[in-house]
Amino acid sequence: MLSLDLNLVWTIINLVVLYLLLRHFLFKPVMGIMEKRRQIIEDGLKNAQDAQDDAMKMKQEYEDALKGAKQESAQIIESARSAAKNEYDRIVGEAGDKAGNIIESAKETVRVEREQTMKELQGEIAGLAVASAAKIVGGTADEDLYDQFLKEVGGSHDDTDDK
């Protein structure tokens, strides 16, 4: 029995030594490698999460910038439309004023020409009346000349009434 007990003790000592050797040369390096890999994986996940957070932040910034650009472009378009409408109204107003001035000028020209024509006709009628009166007073009362005078005076008088 002693040899059995001694064998058992040596077996236990061998197992303990083997365990200590395995632990020192195998388990610690393997556990170190596993710990390094766990740390690398954690760092990779953390970096991926940070990159995703940065990407979301940049996406939000780009969306905000895009909204701002859309609003700015809408404001620029509205401003351009307003400026174009103002310019259109100004041009139409100037054209209306010019047209009104041209119409007034034409009316004034027609009025002046009518007055001149009336004065010329009155002058001609007066000249004819004086000539006729001189002939009548002078004693040469020609019946045909008198009818012609009345016809000319009557015709001119009717033309002025129509105008």
Side-chain angles (χ1 to χ4, degrees), residues 49-61:
Q49 184 63 39
D50 290 344
Q52 186 178 10
D53 291 344
D54 288 344
M56 291 301 288
K57 182 180 175 184
M58 289 175 68
K59 179 183 174 188
Q60 185 63 38
E61 288 175 0

Side-chain angles (χ1 to χ4, degrees), residues 114-142:
R114 183 176 180 187
E115 287 178 3
Q116 286 177 348
T117 304
M118 291 297 287
K119 286 180 182 177
E120 288 174 5
L121 287 175
Q122 287 175 353
E124 287 181 21
I125 291 171
L128 287 174
V130 168
S132 297
K135 285 186 180 180
I136 292 173
V137 171
T140 57
D142 189 0

Side-chain angles (χ1 to χ4, degrees), residues 13-31:
I13 290 174
N14 281 337
L15 283 175
V16 168
V17 170
L18 182 63
Y19 172 74
L20 290 174
L21 286 174
L22 284 176
R23 189 176 123 196
H24 181 69
F25 290 110
L26 182 65
F27 294 145
K28 278 189 179 181
V30 169
M31 293 303 280

Side-chain angles (χ1 to χ4, degrees), residues 77-96:
I77 289 170
E78 185 59 35
S79 175
R81 282 183 182 157
S82 176
K85 182 173 181 353
N86 289 341
E87 184 66 14
Y88 171 79
D89 291 344
R90 184 188 65 79
I91 290 171
V92 168
E94 285 179 4

Side-chain angles (χ1 to χ4, degrees), residues 87 89-107:
E87 184 66 14
D89 291 344
R90 184 188 65 79
I91 290 171
V92 168
E94 285 179 4
D97 291 345
K98 286 180 182 178
N101 290 341
I102 290 171
I103 290 171
E104 287 301 318
S105 174
K107 285 181 181 178

